[in-house]
Amino acid sequence: MNRLFGRGTPKAPPPNLNDCIQSIDSRGESIDKKIARLDQELAKYREQMKKMRDGPSKNMVKQRALRILQQKRAYEQQRENLMQQSFNMEQVNYNIQTLKDTKSTVS
């Protein structure tokens, strides 16, 4: 039969819930690094604004700082969503383990 229809491609194992949780956590860590980088940029812009007098150049720096702040807020929202998703998956994993334990106890 292998010659007539060819061999089936070996199927990859289905994704494990723990692997998914680890993947989400690693994405959260990368977002944390981006937030830290944006914090450094914001601190730099704050120092620049302290040294500057009012005028168009200070307004430009202020606009850049506001743009960075908006990016930071967006990243923080993404991180919060990822943390919530990770928590939900951990709860599901806990429930699955509890059901398996109950099943083995009853059987």
Side-chain angles (χ1 to χ4, degrees):
M1 278 298 182
N2 286 338
R3 290 184 182 185
L4 185 60
F5 296 112
R7 290 182 186 236
T9 56
K11 294 183 179 178
N16 187 357
L17 196 56
N18 289 329
D19 295 339
C20 293
I21 291 170
Q22 289 174 354
S23 171
I24 288 174
D25 288 342
S26 67
R27 285 185 2 213
E29 290 171 6
S30 71
I31 289 177
D32 285 337
K33 290 177 185 175
K34 290 178 183 179
I35 290 172
R37 182 180 49 84
L38 291 176
D39 280 336
Q40 290 174 351
E41 285 186 48
L42 277 173
K44 181 181 75 170
Y45 287 139
R46 282 190 191 119
E47 289 299 317
Q48 281 182 356
M49 287 181 7
K50 283 181 185 177
K51 296 175 185 175
M52 298 175 87
R53 288 185 285 169
D54 288 337
S57 59
K58 186 172 183 177
N59 289 338
M60 284 179 49
V61 172
K62 195 182 292 187
Q63 289 297 321
R64 285 188 209 143
L66 285 174
R67 199 173 312 122
I68 296 293
L69 192 60
Q70 288 173 347
Q71 286 179 350
K72 181 183 170 191
R73 287 184 184 149
Y75 281 136
E76 286 173 343
Q77 183 66 37
Q78 287 178 2
R79 182 184 61 188
E80 190 66 33
N81 289 341
L82 285 174
M83 289 173 60
Q84 186 64 38
Q85 188 176 5
S86 175
F87 175 75
N88 290 341
M89 291 173 82
E90 287 172 356
Q91 289 296 103
V92 167
N93 197 17
Y94 175 75
N95 289 337
I96 289 171
Q97 290 299 325
T98 303
L99 288 173
K100 284 182 182 178
D101 292 343
T102 304
K103 181 181 175 184
S104 65
T105 303
V106 171
S107 297

